Amino acid sequence: MSRMKDRYTMPIPDDFHAHLRQSEGLIAYAKGHAGQFGRVLLMPNTLPPISDVHRLEAYRAEVERALEALPDYARFEPLFTFKILPGMKSADIEALARAGAVAGKYYPSGATTNAADGPRSFDEVEEALSTMEALGLVLCIHGEDPEAPVLERERAFLPSVEKLLARHPRLRTVLEHLSDAQSVRFVEHGPENLAATITAHHLLFTIDDMIGESMNPHLYCKPVLKFAADREALRAAVLSGSKKFFFGSDSAPHPREKKECDASASGVYASPSALPALVSLFDALEGLDSLIPFMTEHGAAFYGLPPNTRTLTLARNSWEVPKLLGGAVPMCAGQWLEWRVVQNEGTFMP
Ligand code: DOR
Ligand code: ZN
């Protein structure tokens, strides 16, 4: 039985991991985050990647143009990252930090979408990592070993992270989109400077939802959804209230035709439905007390950002998640969700 009344007000959440893409995609997908998130950490795996000041400035201008097209109340604050590439020098990192980047993203070569240019080991980018540590930048890691069998890739990568942490004890490090019970334990037992993001889809679904009865390419992502025991470990981690875990949607839209084809792109377009779906999930798990810390406090504290001052209200006002938004199929498309984000200005739905 739900303990909730019909309205639920919370500080506006932050999303510490999202792909907004570029050009028309960016304009369309920014709407998925609109009015639902205070700050959004933007991933740099665009083509070409955001890996120098020139590209970061160009991307910032593009994002700002997209945000200007949104109503005032729907705008969010973008936070910028850069992709860590072999050959990067200290001076490159210093310039990116001066340009306002808050984090660098490490994609192992070949691990996911647009990651062919990534390093093959942390050793290859040691100069960049040492500089990030000295400057207080955050290191975000796509923690998968692309050589391992697909369901074991995340756990297979943990020994490399362990070595990295031993070598860089002051480098604030985030293992992104945790999917595996073993990595949950790794983060829990890791040092203070290690944290992790968790997505809505890894909290809501398992591999059976993706390929159990029929194949749903819209739930195919990297790291792939795992088993019920893994999902339980993720849920327990967020319900524990541990400050090491915070929300990152990993909203990764691809046009429908790139998902419904014979070499489906990986990524879940999660942002339009993630927050309402999580409110229902936390309520069902009797864990609503953990929702606000997970979605609004722990990430900001880890990144050294002030708490958001805006609030957001959800109402028990069921809505059907559209089957297509901006050319992409959102998470829970066609399903009725119980909670809906409303704004002071009236009912708002992305
Ligand atoms: O499934 C994924 N899609 N995982 C990632 O790490 C990247 C993302 C994308 O950019 O499409
Ligand atoms: Zn991602």
Side-chain angles (χ1 to χ4, degrees), residues 101-112:
V102 298
K105 178 79 184 271
Y106 180 95
Y107 288 102
S109 175
T112 187

Side-chain angles (χ1 to χ4, degrees), residues 19 21 45 105 107 112-113 142 177 220-223 250 252 254 266-268:
H19 302 263
R21 314 298 189 200
N45 62 335
K105 178 79 184 271
Y107 288 102
T112 187
T113 309
H142 183 110
H177 39 56
Y220 168 59
C221 62
K222 294 286 176 58
D250 197 12
H254 292 274
S266 65
V268 173

Side-chain angles (χ1 to χ4, degrees), residues 101-289:
V102 298
K105 178 79 184 271
Y106 180 95
Y107 288 102
S109 175
T112 187
T113 309
N114 301 343
D117 55 358
R120 275 159 303 165
S121 72
F122 287 117
D123 293 343
E124 267 189 35
V125 289
E126 174 55 26
E127 183 170 337
L129 298 174
S130 301
T131 312
M132 288 172 63
E133 182 175 25
L135 295 176
L137 292 172
V138 171
L139 169 66
C140 302
I141 300 178
H142 183 110
E144 286 197 290
D145 174 356
E147 305 283 306
V150 72
L151 288 172
E152 294 165 25
R153 285 182 189 172
E154 190 172 285
R155 63 181 65 179
F157 195 73
L158 296 175
S160 315
V161 181
E162 192 161 10
K163 271 199 231 141
L164 168 91
L165 292 166
R167 199 186 302 169
H168 295 285
R170 288 176 300 111
L171 180 58
R172 281 179 296 156
T173 300
V174 182
L175 266 179
E176 299 292 334
H177 39 56
L178 283 201
S179 68
D180 181 318
Q182 202 168 312
S183 16
V184 172
R185 283 195 293 278
F186 179 85
V187 174
E188 275 168 351
H189 294 117
E192 286 256 303
N193 57 318
L194 176 66
T197 56
I198 298 182
T199 73
H201 43 286
H202 290 98
L203 287 170
L204 287 162
F205 304 113
T206 68
I207 191 166
D208 281 83
D209 296 298
M210 179 175 63
I211 51 171
E213 297 218 345
S214 57
M215 200 189 69
N216 179 355
H218 303 292
L219 285 180
Y220 168 59
C221 62
K222 294 286 176 58
V224 292
L225 297 165
K226 306 281 185 323
F227 300 103
D230 299 292
R231 184 177 64 177
E232 287 319 306
L234 293 165
R235 289 179 174 180
V238 297
L239 296 181
S240 76
S242 162
K243 292 187 167 44
K244 284 173 157 282
F245 301 101
F246 49 89
F247 178 67
S249 70
D250 197 12
S251 187
H254 292 274
R256 186 164 79 174
E257 59 279 11
K258 293 265 165 61
K259 297 286 288 176
E260 297 177 3
C261 59
D262 57 2
S264 182
S266 65
V268 173
Y269 183 22
S271 60
S273 52
L275 175 59
L278 285 180
V279 172
S280 291
L281 175 71
F282 277 65
D283 186 29
L285 297 174
E286 297 187 359
L288 263 186
D289 293 347

Side-chain angles (χ1 to χ4, degrees), residues 10-16 33-41 67 72-79 247 275 295-296 305-312 343:
M10 64 189 291
I12 193 162
D14 293 315
D15 179 356
F16 279 101
H33 279 85
Q36 304 195 80
F37 296 99
R39 288 168 291 221
V40 181
L41 187 74
L67 292 177
D72 276 357
Y73 70 86
R75 289 183 196 161
F76 51 86
E77 183 189 336
L79 300 174
F247 178 67
L275 175 59
M295 296 200 76
T296 78
L305 298 169
N308 278 318
T309 49
R310 278 162 73 192
T311 59
L312 158 156
Q343 298 285 335

